Amino acid sequence: MASGNDSTTVKEFILLGLTQQPELQLPFFFLFLGIYVVSIVGNLGLIVLIVLNPHLHTPMYYFLFNLSFIDFCYSSVITPKMLVGFVKQNIISHAECMTQLFFFAFFVIDECCILTAMSYDRYVAICKPLLYKVTMSYQVCFMMTVSVYMMGFVGAIAHTICMLRLTFCDGNIINHYMCDIPPLLKLSCTNTSVNELVVFIVVGVNVIGPTLIIFTSYTLIIFNISHIRSTEGRSKAISTCSSHIIAVSIFFGASAFMYLKPSPVGSVGEDKVSTVFYTIVGPMLNPFIYSLRNKDVHIALHKTLKKSMLI
């Protein structure tokens, strides 16, 4: 085994991909290519709609714009390299692997934080409607968004720096479709206790912390909704939260299963499946979750299509 000072240690990794069964490679390629195209079109479409329609320039859609932007970048960091693995041996250099790890960590933390900011926005809108414009002013929304990206940057830097200090000796086969933290730690021939501590702290802060905030927000929202007398008022309040609850459930459920379970529990296959949900399926579903039952988005889409037909 090479020593930690040997500069000839692993220079590239082989990503095994989602499955090793040859008969599934081509069907999975077209499946995930379709998911990626839908994700890109859906998120870009929602971004364009929000930008072009002034009546969508509100705090709720400001955060939704950022969620779509994060999902667009997020899926683009993961899916193209995953698709390569379905058609040929997927080789990634050490530098490319660390770069993918950085942006993956950056955008996954951003997603956690932006979903948390959206839950606070819904809390203010339903529980403190008279103070909504003051509480969720442009300055407040902007500072919340800056904080979201700063949290992502700090967490990504922490993970990447800790990973760069590790030495990878003989093993270079990553049993995954991307450079994720757990499979990389398994390959290292140096002590990974610092990395595991950083994972525990960063994931705890960015999953447990936001989960508590979201849970508290919705506890107060449910309490407030229960005191609304009219059925129409309750239905409207519930409908404004339902999309966010679905998005949060998919993302936080899958990510918590992946990172907060004891390491011996579950197979590699289960880890891959849970990762697929929050890295690939979630970014595809979010534009539809937030637009299918949203009258404002339907009106914006109708207006935009009408203008494009008149040009």
Side-chain angles (χ1 to χ4, degrees), residues 249-266:
S249 300
I250 293 172
F251 181 81
F252 280 89
S255 57
F257 175 82
M258 177 66 187
Y259 290 102
L260 296 181
K261 64 181 177 61
S263 55
V265 177

Side-chain angles (χ1 to χ4, degrees), residues 34-162:
I35 290 174
Y36 180 58
V37 171
V38 171
S39 178
I40 294 301
V41 172
N43 284 295
L44 278 180
L46 201 51
I47 288 170
V48 171
L49 279 180
I50 293 171
V51 170
L52 294 181
N53 291 272
H55 76 279
L56 296 182
H57 295 177
T58 63
M60 175 183 171
Y61 293 101
Y62 176 76
F63 290 124
L64 185 54
F65 170 91
N66 281 278
L67 178 66
S68 294
F69 171 74
I70 290 166
D71 283 339
F72 170 78
C73 298
Y74 193 18
S75 56
S76 297
V77 168
I78 303 299
T79 314
K81 195 65 181 172
M82 178 190 188
L83 292 173
V84 172
F86 291 127
V87 294
K88 65 177 184 179
Q89 188 179 54
N90 200 354
I91 298 175
I92 185 170
S93 70
H94 182 274
E96 290 174 333
C97 187
M98 295 301 108
T99 302
Q100 187 188 57
L101 174 65
F102 172 82
F103 283 107
F104 162 67
F106 177 69
F107 289 116
V108 76
I109 295 171
D110 288 345
E111 183 117 350
C112 286
C113 296
I114 202 71
L115 287 170
T116 306
M118 293 172 79
S119 73
Y120 178 73
D121 172 70
R122 292 300 82 205
Y123 157 72
V124 177
I126 294 173
C127 299
K128 301 181 183 293
L130 298 178
L131 298 174
Y132 183 72
K133 289 186 177 180
V134 176
T135 307
M136 300 303 296
S137 65
Y138 171 79
Q139 290 80 5
V140 171
C141 293
F142 178 75
M143 289 306 298
M144 289 175 71
T145 307
V146 170
S147 299
V148 165
Y149 291 109
M150 284 301 298
M151 290 285 287
F153 180 78
V154 171
I157 282 289
H159 283 311
T160 308
I161 289 176
C162 287

